[in-house]
């Protein structure tokens, strides 16, 4: 979640006039951070996970389930719990939180008034015992949250509420749609957190763009789906706001489910992992090497096949969030000639990465985006201030965006001991990997945030994916693995990850050989040793064409390995575990998590998206017309809630055993 500063927000016309000042001051704060922390060292990797929940309320007698808009009440109950307060508190946004050895978790508000975010109370360490504490900690967080909800309310971990934005009452309490901030046909302003940052963010995105956001998701065409499909929930005769003309001007596409507000994207839940590196060099290396893995993990965690009460023909949330916060003008989108704006910008501010930043000799010029848009003046200022050109290019690309939420009080004077102006832009560039400098007010190092993964329905799954990506980072650093491919191929892979059943049916660009030019570690097997590396560096070899370094692979090949060629991410992790002599009991416990990843990649276990889609299609009330009715959603969410702490209890989500009703 972004900054929750308090102040007097500027509406967009006035905010636009102050954008250059915020960018310039943000760059000065960044340089202050750089000069203060570029030599900062940490002893070991620390990491943390973020779990986001939807809060739902069941009406058993009516067989209905709705979103509960009681986020503030739940957080207040958590903050006032005397037993939790005596142990240091759990809601830093409402109370002073302290930790004296207790790992009590922490809860935060999120964009949606129906959402909660939870994190462990302290970062996880490098030890393998910490890895085995992740799932119990996730269970514990869920239990604490539930204990402070009403009896009929539950925290569930699905990416989006299936009937968000339908014409019926999908939230409690109920509010009519089309408020001043969102101006949505489908959602009320009250759906969003009332903190001034969130409605201002939504309103300024709409104002800067010059129209409402436009989200169109292809409908899943089942046996009885109308052809052509025209979203029946769209009101073409609404005349409440000027932006209501959008649909009359073609905003709602045929054969698509149409949505028109930020909350349809930012009301989604995900699983994020943040790593603290031992220094900036390690952080920059992790940023680069994790980038090509983002689309792979997005496809593996696919869990979003329903929007606004319809089955859709995509499996993941990413592009819907991207469009929900897309503030680009018609000129920046290339729809009109440049006249008032500076650039045509090819991506939303919520998008896949466009830069590599490591000063790694393996980073070839051909891997970069040849058409990267940067603010050359800001880049020059960073280089003048001592930052290397590669990292300066990264930040000069992020700062082509305008700040969206500006508080008048922050413009009175520049404080180089703070990071508010820098974070104003950094925190609203939502890339799939985020490079995070140390904050000004805490003893924290350089961090890398891994953002693409979808939230999973059970704590076992969420723990498995968190543990897996942590072990991947250990293998990357231990074996000096090289996953570089041209950055534009990662962008292409992110699009491929949206395809229905991409994990089974599609292929992704991936590097053929991840090893440095020396003897690779022995991969897989049960040996506790690795092939020793030579003591002398290899003779440099002439590099061939970049196109020969990567090829198209299935998710199964990337994760489990190919008969000839790429060894597979799971075997690489197992090789790392072999090299550090993990005890047998811990190794067996970790194997259960790795087994989930292995079987998900092979198709033996379904993704959440496939399981949800097949649950709906097999439900007795479903008519084969792509419409996911209230009764279907009630049974679906009930099933998800019942499996919340299980490890596939009763075979759920195994292929062919999908718990249909």
């Amino acid at each position: 979640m972004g900054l929750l500063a308090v102040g007097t927000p500027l509406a967009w016309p006035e905010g636009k006039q102050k954008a250059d000042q915020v960018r310039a001051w943000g760059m000065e704060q960044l340089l202050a951070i750089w000069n203060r922390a570029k030599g900062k060292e940490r002893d070991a990797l620390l990491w943390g996970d973020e779990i986001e929940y939807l809060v739902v309320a069941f009406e058993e007698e009516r067989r209905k389930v709705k979103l509960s808009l009681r986020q503030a009440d739940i957080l207040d109950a958590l903050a006032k719990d005397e037993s939790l307060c005596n142990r240091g508190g759990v809601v830093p946004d409402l109370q002073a939180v302290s930790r004296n050895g207790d790992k009590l978790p922490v809860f935060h508000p999120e964009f949606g008034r129906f959402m909660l975010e939870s994190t462990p109370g302290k970062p996880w360490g490098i030890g393998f015992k910490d890895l085995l504490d992740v799932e119990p900690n996730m269970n514990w967080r869920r239990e604490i949250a539930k204990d402070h909800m009403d009896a009929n309310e539950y925290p569930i971990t699905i990416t989006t509420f299936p009937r968000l934005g339908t014409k019926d009452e999908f939230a409690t309490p109920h509010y009519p749609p089309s408020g001043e901030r969102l101006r949505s046909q489908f959602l009320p302003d009250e759906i969003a957190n009332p903190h001034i940052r969130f409605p201002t963010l939504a309103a300024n995105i709409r104002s800067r763009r010059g129209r409402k956001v436009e989200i169109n998701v292809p409908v899943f065409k089942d046996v009885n789906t109308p052809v052509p499909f025209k979203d029946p929930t769209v009101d073409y005769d609404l005349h409440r706001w000027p932006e209501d003309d959008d649909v009359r001007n073609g905003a709602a596409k045929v054969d698509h489910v149409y949505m028109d507000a930020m909350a349809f994207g930012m009301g989604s839940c995900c699983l994020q992992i943040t790593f603290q590196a031992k220094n900036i060099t390690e952080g920059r290396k992790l940023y680069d090497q994790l980038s090509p893995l983002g689309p792979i993990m997005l496809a593996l965690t696919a869990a979003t096949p329903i929007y606004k009460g319809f089955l859709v023909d995509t499996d993941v949330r990413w592009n819907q969030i991207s469009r929900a916060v897309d503030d680009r003008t018609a000129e920046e989108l290339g729809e009109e000639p440049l006249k008032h704006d500076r650039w045509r910008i090819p991506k939303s501010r919520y998008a896949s990465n466009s830069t590599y930043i490591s000063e790694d000799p393996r980073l070839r010029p051909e891997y970069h985006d040849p058409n990267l848009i940067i603010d050359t003046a800001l880049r020059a200022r960073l280089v003048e201030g001592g930052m290397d050109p590669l990292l300066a290019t990264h930040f000069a690309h992020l700062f082509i965006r305008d700040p969206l939420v500006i508080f008048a009080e922050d413009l009175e004077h520049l404080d180089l001991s703070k990071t508010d102006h820098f974070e104003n832009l950094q925190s609203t560039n939502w890339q799939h990997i985020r490079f995070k400098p140390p904050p000004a007010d805490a003893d924290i190092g350089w961090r890398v945030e891994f953002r693409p993964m979808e939230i999973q329905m059970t704590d076992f799954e969420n723990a498995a994916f968190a543990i897996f990506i942590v072990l991947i980072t250990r293998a990357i650093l231990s074996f000096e693995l090289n996953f570089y491919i041209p950055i534009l191929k990662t962008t292409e892979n992110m699009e491929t990850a949206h395809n229905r059943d991409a994990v089974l049916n599609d292929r992704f660009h991936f590097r053929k050989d991840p090893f440095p030019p020396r003897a690779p570690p022995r991969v897989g097997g049960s040996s506790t040793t690795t092939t020793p590396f030579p003591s002398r560096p290899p003779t440099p070899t002439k590099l061939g064409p970049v196109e020969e370094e990567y090829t198209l692979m299935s998710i199964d090949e990337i994760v489990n390995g190919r008969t000839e060629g790429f060894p597979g991410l799971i075997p690489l992790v197992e090789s790392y575990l072999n090299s550090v002599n993990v005890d047998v009991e811990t190794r067996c416990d970790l194997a259960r998590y790795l087994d989930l990843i292995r079987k998900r990649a092979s198709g033996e276990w379904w993704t959440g998206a496939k399981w949800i889609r097949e649950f709906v299609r097999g439900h007795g009330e479903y008519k084969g017309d792509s419409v996911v009715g209230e009764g279907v959603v009630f049974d679906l969410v009930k099933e998800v809630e019942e499996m919340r702490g299980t490890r596939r209890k009763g075979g759920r989500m195994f292929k062919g055993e999908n718990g249909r009703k």
Side-chain angles (χ1 to χ4, degrees), residues 47 51 131 134-136 138 271 456 458-468 593 596:
W47 67 278
I51 296 283
L131 295 180
V134 172
E135 184 186 356
M138 290 179 177
L271 168 67
Q456 304 295 286
T458 68
D459 295 328
F460 172 58
E461 293 166 281
N462 287 313
F465 281 104
I467 290 167
F468 177 60
Y593 298 112
L596 166 65

Side-chain angles (χ1 to χ4, degrees), residues 335-455:
E335 297 172 353
E336 298 176 2
L338 286 175
K339 183 177 180 181
H340 304 288
D341 296 307
R342 300 174 64 185
W343 304 284
R344 181 185 179 276
I345 303 177
K347 293 180 180 179
S348 166
R349 62 196 303 148
Y350 194 113
S352 59
N353 288 20
S354 295
T355 58
Y356 287 125
I357 64 173
S358 177
E359 294 183 299
D360 188 329
R362 302 172 299 180
L363 175 55
R364 299 176 62 173
E366 298 95 321
Y367 299 153
H368 293 294
D369 181 352
N371 300 311
L372 185 72
I373 306 297
I374 65 169
D375 188 315
T376 54
L378 293 180
R379 180 184 183 275
R381 174 66 189 110
L382 291 175
V383 172
E384 178 189 25
M387 186 176 290
D388 62 89
L390 191 60
L391 194 58
T393 296
H394 166 76
F395 287 114
H397 170 65
L398 298 186
F399 273 51
I400 66 173
R401 311 288 178 175
D402 280 337
L404 291 171
V405 181
I406 302 173
F407 293 107
E409 293 82 356
D410 294 336
L411 300 176
E412 295 173 0
H413 69 279
L414 172 60
D415 188 342
L416 293 180
S417 69
K418 295 182 178 180
T419 61
D420 51 343
H421 298 294
F422 168 71
E423 287 293 346
N424 192 328
L425 284 151
Q426 162 90 345
S427 68
T428 55
N429 271 276
W430 296 280
Q431 299 194 326
H432 82 279
I433 313 289
R434 179 180 281 162
F435 185 63
K436 303 176 72 171
D441 57 352
D443 184 21
I444 296 174
W446 295 89
R447 293 151 295 151
V448 175
E449 188 176 64
F450 191 77
R451 301 171 46 80
M453 293 189 290
E454 308 246 291
I455 198 72

Side-chain angles (χ1 to χ4, degrees), residues 20 65 77-78 108 131 204 280 349 352 423 448 485 597 648:
D20 286 340
V65 61
L78 285 162
H108 301 276
L131 295 180
N204 283 356
I280 189 173
R349 62 196 303 148
S352 59
E423 287 293 346
V448 175
I485 59 174
I597 313 299
R648 296 288 193 260

Side-chain angles (χ1 to χ4, degrees), residues 51 53 134-143 146 154-158 456-464 592-593 596 637-653:
I51 296 283
Y53 307 95
V134 172
E135 184 186 356
N137 187 272
M138 290 179 177
N139 292 160
W140 188 28
R141 283 181 251 169
R142 193 188 292 260
E143 290 169 3
K146 171 61 185 126
Y154 293 86
I156 61 169
T157 45
I158 57 175
Q456 304 295 286
M457 287 179 269
T458 68
D459 295 328
F460 172 58
E461 293 166 281
N462 287 313
R592 289 198 291 270
Y593 298 112
L596 166 65
V637 176
K638 178 69 73 172
E639 184 85 359
V640 170
E641 195 283 319
E642 288 175 354
M643 73 169 75
R644 63 190 180 278
T646 67
R647 295 188 175 190
R648 296 288 193 260
K649 184 188 294 183
R652 290 185 179 96
M653 294 189 204

Side-chain angles (χ1 to χ4, degrees), residues 205-214 326-328:
I205 285 174
R206 174 178 48 75
S207 296
R208 187 187 189 281
R209 179 181 170 86
R211 52 189 165 176
K212 290 188 290 187
V213 296
E214 183 179 311
D326 191 354
D327 68 331
R328 289 175 295 171

Side-chain angles (χ1 to χ4, degrees), residues 1 25 28 48 62-64 93 136 217 227 259 297 349 441 452 456 491-492 506 508 511 513 543 574 597 617 636 653:
M1 184 183 62
W25 284 12
E28 295 306 315
R62 301 175 64 200
R63 292 191 68 250
K64 293 180 183 290
D93 296 277
V217 190
V227 179
M259 294 166 283
M297 300 306 294
R349 62 196 303 148
D441 57 352
Q456 304 295 286
T491 301
E492 185 177 330
D506 286 285
F508 296 75
R511 191 175 183 88
D513 182 3
L543 296 174
E574 290 176 332
I597 313 299
R617 297 185 73 202
L636 171 64
M653 294 189 204

Side-chain angles (χ1 to χ4, degrees), residues 18-29:
K18 302 296 183 181
D20 286 340
Q21 179 183 347
V22 173
R23 270 191 290 266
W25 284 12
M27 281 296 176
E28 295 306 315
Q29 289 180 336

Side-chain angles (χ1 to χ4, degrees), residues 241-277:
W241 304 104
E243 293 87 348
D244 291 332
D245 285 341
D246 290 356
V247 294
R248 290 182 284 276
N249 294 329
K253 296 180 180 179
V254 174
D255 291 330
H256 288 71
V257 178
Y258 170 69
M259 294 166 283
D260 65 352
M262 181 177 172
F264 282 111
M266 285 302 192
S268 304
C269 296
C270 67
L271 168 67
Q272 295 179 179
I273 311 297
T274 300
F275 302 96
Q276 177 181 261

